[in-house]
Short mmCIF file of all heavy atoms in Angstrom, two decimals:
data_model
loop_
_atom_site.label_atom_id
_atom_site.label_comp_id
_atom_site.label_asym_id
_atom_site.label_seq_id
_atom_site.Cartn_x
_atom_site.Cartn_y
_atom_site.Cartn_z
N LYS V 263 42.56 25.02 21.88
CA LYS V 263 42.73 26.42 21.56
C LYS V 263 41.63 27.24 22.23
O LYS V 263 40.46 26.91 22.15
CB LYS V 263 42.66 26.61 20.04
CG LYS V 263 43.05 28.01 19.59
CD LYS V 263 43.14 28.08 18.09
CE LYS V 263 44.28 27.27 17.54
NZ LYS V 263 45.60 27.78 17.96
N HIS V 265 39.64 30.81 22.59
CA HIS V 265 39.35 32.02 21.84
C HIS V 265 39.23 33.19 22.82
O HIS V 265 38.20 33.38 23.43
CB HIS V 265 38.04 31.85 21.06
CG HIS V 265 37.95 30.54 20.36
ND1 HIS V 265 39.00 30.02 19.65
CD2 HIS V 265 36.94 29.63 20.28
CE1 HIS V 265 38.64 28.85 19.14
NE2 HIS V 265 37.40 28.59 19.52
N PHE V 421 40.18 25.57 2.60
CA PHE V 421 38.74 25.32 2.46
C PHE V 421 38.11 24.91 3.78
O PHE V 421 38.76 24.29 4.63
CB PHE V 421 38.46 24.14 1.52
CG PHE V 421 38.92 24.31 0.11
CD1 PHE V 421 39.21 23.19 -0.64
CD2 PHE V 421 39.05 25.56 -0.47
CE1 PHE V 421 39.64 23.31 -1.95
CE2 PHE V 421 39.47 25.69 -1.77
CZ PHE V 421 39.76 24.56 -2.53
N ILE V 422 36.82 25.16 3.88
CA ILE V 422 35.97 24.47 4.84
C ILE V 422 35.02 23.61 4.01
O ILE V 422 34.31 24.11 3.15
CB ILE V 422 35.16 25.44 5.71
CG1 ILE V 422 36.09 26.20 6.66
CG2 ILE V 422 34.08 24.70 6.51
CD1 ILE V 422 35.39 27.27 7.48
N SER V 443 42.35 21.69 4.05
CA SER V 443 40.92 21.84 4.36
C SER V 443 40.58 21.13 5.66
O SER V 443 41.35 20.32 6.17
CB SER V 443 40.07 21.27 3.23
OG SER V 443 40.24 19.86 3.12
N ALA V 444 39.39 21.43 6.16
CA ALA V 444 38.83 20.74 7.32
C ALA V 444 37.33 20.61 7.11
O ALA V 444 36.72 21.38 6.36
CB ALA V 444 39.12 21.52 8.60
N ILE V 445 36.74 19.63 7.76
CA ILE V 445 35.29 19.42 7.68
C ILE V 445 34.61 20.11 8.86
O ILE V 445 34.92 19.84 10.01
CB ILE V 445 34.95 17.92 7.69
CG1 ILE V 445 35.58 17.21 6.49
CG2 ILE V 445 33.43 17.73 7.68
CD1 ILE V 445 35.40 15.70 6.51
N ILE V 446 33.68 21.02 8.55
CA ILE V 446 32.81 21.64 9.55
C ILE V 446 31.39 21.58 8.99
O ILE V 446 31.06 22.36 8.10
CB ILE V 446 33.20 23.10 9.84
CG1 ILE V 446 34.68 23.22 10.26
CG2 ILE V 446 32.30 23.68 10.94
CD1 ILE V 446 35.13 24.65 10.51
N PRO V 447 30.56 20.66 9.46
CA PRO V 447 29.20 20.55 8.91
C PRO V 447 28.38 21.81 9.14
O PRO V 447 28.64 22.57 10.08
CB PRO V 447 28.61 19.36 9.69
CG PRO V 447 29.79 18.61 10.21
CD PRO V 447 30.84 19.64 10.47
N SER V 640 28.26 25.35 18.41
CA SER V 640 29.38 24.45 18.12
C SER V 640 29.99 24.76 16.76
O SER V 640 31.21 24.77 16.60
CB SER V 640 28.89 23.00 18.16
OG SER V 640 29.92 22.11 17.78
N HIS V 641 29.13 25.03 15.77
CA HIS V 641 29.60 25.38 14.43
C HIS V 641 30.45 26.65 14.48
O HIS V 641 31.53 26.73 13.87
CB HIS V 641 28.40 25.60 13.51
CG HIS V 641 28.76 26.05 12.14
ND1 HIS V 641 29.13 25.17 11.14
CD2 HIS V 641 28.81 27.30 11.59
CE1 HIS V 641 29.39 25.85 10.04
NE2 HIS V 641 29.21 27.13 10.28
N ILE V 643 32.09 27.96 17.06
CA ILE V 643 33.35 27.71 17.78
C ILE V 643 34.36 27.02 16.87
O ILE V 643 35.54 27.37 16.84
CB ILE V 643 33.07 26.88 19.05
CG1 ILE V 643 32.27 27.70 20.05
CG2 ILE V 643 34.38 26.40 19.68
CD1 ILE V 643 31.70 26.89 21.20
N LYS V 644 33.89 26.03 16.12
CA LYS V 644 34.79 25.31 15.21
C LYS V 644 35.31 26.23 14.10
O LYS V 644 36.49 26.16 13.72
CB LYS V 644 34.05 24.12 14.60
CG LYS V 644 33.77 23.00 15.60
CD LYS V 644 32.96 21.88 14.96
CE LYS V 644 32.67 20.77 15.97
NZ LYS V 644 31.86 19.68 15.36
N THR V 645 34.44 27.09 13.60
CA THR V 645 34.85 28.01 12.53
C THR V 645 35.88 29.00 13.05
O THR V 645 36.87 29.31 12.36
CB THR V 645 33.63 28.75 11.96
OG1 THR V 645 32.66 27.80 11.50
CG2 THR V 645 34.03 29.65 10.81
N VAL V 646 35.69 29.50 14.27
CA VAL V 646 36.67 30.41 14.86
C VAL V 646 38.02 29.71 15.01
O VAL V 646 39.07 30.30 14.72
CB VAL V 646 36.17 30.93 16.23
CG1 VAL V 646 37.29 31.62 16.99
CG2 VAL V 646 35.00 31.89 16.03
N SER V 647 38.02 28.46 15.44
CA SER V 647 39.27 27.71 15.56
C SER V 647 39.96 27.56 14.21
O SER V 647 41.20 27.65 14.11
CB SER V 647 38.98 26.32 16.15
OG SER V 647 38.59 26.42 17.49
N PHE V 648 39.16 27.33 13.19
CA PHE V 648 39.70 27.25 11.82
C PHE V 648 40.36 28.57 11.44
O PHE V 648 41.50 28.60 10.96
CB PHE V 648 38.56 26.92 10.86
CG PHE V 648 38.97 26.78 9.41
CD1 PHE V 648 39.31 25.54 8.90
CD2 PHE V 648 39.01 27.88 8.57
CE1 PHE V 648 39.68 25.40 7.57
CE2 PHE V 648 39.38 27.76 7.25
CZ PHE V 648 39.71 26.52 6.74
N TYR V 649 39.67 29.69 11.66
CA TYR V 649 40.23 31.01 11.36
C TYR V 649 41.54 31.24 12.11
O TYR V 649 42.52 31.72 11.55
CB TYR V 649 39.26 32.12 11.76
CG TYR V 649 37.97 32.21 10.99
CD1 TYR V 649 36.87 32.90 11.55
CD2 TYR V 649 37.81 31.68 9.72
CE1 TYR V 649 35.68 33.03 10.87
CE2 TYR V 649 36.62 31.79 9.03
CZ TYR V 649 35.54 32.46 9.61
OH TYR V 649 34.36 32.59 8.95
N GLU V 651 43.67 29.13 13.34
CA GLU V 651 44.76 28.31 12.84
C GLU V 651 45.31 28.88 11.54
O GLU V 651 46.53 28.90 11.31
CB GLU V 651 44.28 26.87 12.63
CG GLU V 651 45.40 25.87 12.35
CD GLU V 651 46.36 25.69 13.52
OE1 GLU V 651 45.96 25.95 14.68
OE2 GLU V 651 47.52 25.30 13.27
N SER V 662 46.15 20.27 6.23
CA SER V 662 44.80 19.80 6.55
C SER V 662 44.75 19.22 7.96
O SER V 662 43.78 19.42 8.70
CB SER V 662 44.34 18.75 5.53
OG SER V 662 44.18 19.32 4.25
N ALA V 663 45.80 18.50 8.33
CA ALA V 663 45.84 17.89 9.66
C ALA V 663 45.82 18.96 10.75
O ALA V 663 45.14 18.82 11.77
CB ALA V 663 47.09 17.02 9.80
N GLN V 664 46.55 20.05 10.53
CA GLN V 664 46.57 21.14 11.52
C GLN V 664 45.20 21.80 11.63
O GLN V 664 44.72 22.10 12.72
CB GLN V 664 47.62 22.17 11.12
CG GLN V 664 49.06 21.68 11.32
CD GLN V 664 50.09 22.60 10.69
OE1 GLN V 664 49.81 23.29 9.69
NE2 GLN V 664 51.29 22.61 11.25
N LEU V 665 44.55 22.01 10.49
CA LEU V 665 43.23 22.64 10.50
C LEU V 665 42.20 21.75 11.16
O LEU V 665 41.41 22.21 12.00
CB LEU V 665 42.80 22.96 9.06
CG LEU V 665 43.55 24.09 8.37
CD1 LEU V 665 43.17 24.16 6.89
CD2 LEU V 665 43.27 25.43 9.04
N GLN V 666 42.18 20.45 10.80
CA GLN V 666 41.18 19.55 11.36
C GLN V 666 41.41 19.35 12.85
O GLN V 666 40.45 19.26 13.63
CB GLN V 666 41.20 18.21 10.63
CG GLN V 666 39.98 17.34 10.92
CD GLN V 666 38.70 17.97 10.38
OE1 GLN V 666 38.57 18.23 9.20
NE2 GLN V 666 37.73 18.22 11.26
N ASN V 667 42.67 19.31 13.26
CA ASN V 667 42.97 19.17 14.68
C ASN V 667 42.48 20.38 15.46
O ASN V 667 41.92 20.24 16.56
CB ASN V 667 44.48 19.00 14.87
CG ASN V 667 44.86 18.75 16.32
OD1 ASN V 667 44.48 17.75 16.92
ND2 ASN V 667 45.61 19.69 16.90
N ALA V 668 42.67 21.57 14.89
CA ALA V 668 42.19 22.78 15.56
C ALA V 668 40.67 22.77 15.69
O ALA V 668 40.11 23.12 16.73
CB ALA V 668 42.64 24.02 14.77
N VAL V 669 40.00 22.33 14.64
CA VAL V 669 38.54 22.27 14.64
C VAL V 669 38.04 21.25 15.66
O VAL V 669 37.13 21.52 16.45
CB VAL V 669 38.01 21.91 13.23
CG1 VAL V 669 36.54 21.52 13.27
CG2 VAL V 669 38.22 23.07 12.28
N ASP V 670 38.64 20.08 15.66
CA ASP V 670 38.17 18.98 16.53
C ASP V 670 38.44 19.24 18.00
O ASP V 670 37.77 18.66 18.86
CB ASP V 670 38.84 17.67 16.11
CG ASP V 670 38.37 17.19 14.74
OD1 ASP V 670 37.32 17.67 14.27
OD2 ASP V 670 39.08 16.35 14.13
N ASN V 671 39.41 20.10 18.30
CA ASN V 671 39.78 20.34 19.70
C ASN V 671 39.41 21.74 20.17
O ASN V 671 39.96 22.23 21.15
CB ASN V 671 41.29 20.13 19.87
CG ASN V 671 41.67 18.66 19.72
OD1 ASN V 671 41.42 17.84 20.60
ND2 ASN V 671 42.25 18.33 18.57
N SER V 672 38.49 22.37 19.48
CA SER V 672 38.15 23.75 19.80
C SER V 672 37.27 23.84 21.05
O SER V 672 36.39 23.02 21.28
CB SER V 672 37.43 24.41 18.62
OG SER V 672 36.28 23.66 18.26
N VAL V 673 37.52 24.85 21.86
CA VAL V 673 36.69 25.19 23.02
C VAL V 673 36.57 26.69 23.05
O VAL V 673 37.19 27.39 22.27
CB VAL V 673 37.31 24.68 24.34
CG1 VAL V 673 37.35 23.17 24.38
CG2 VAL V 673 38.70 25.25 24.54
#
Side-chain angles (χ1 to χ4, degrees):
K263 189 173 292 296
H265 315 315
F421 298 154
I422 292 175
S443 66
I445 299 174
I446 305 178
S640 175
H641 176 84
I643 292 168
K644 290 176 181 179
T645 303
V646 168
S647 291
F648 181 92
Y649 293 160
E651 190 65 24
S662 294
Q664 288 169 331
L665 289 172
Q666 194 66 59
N667 184 63
V669 167
D670 292 343
N671 291 286
S672 56
V673 295

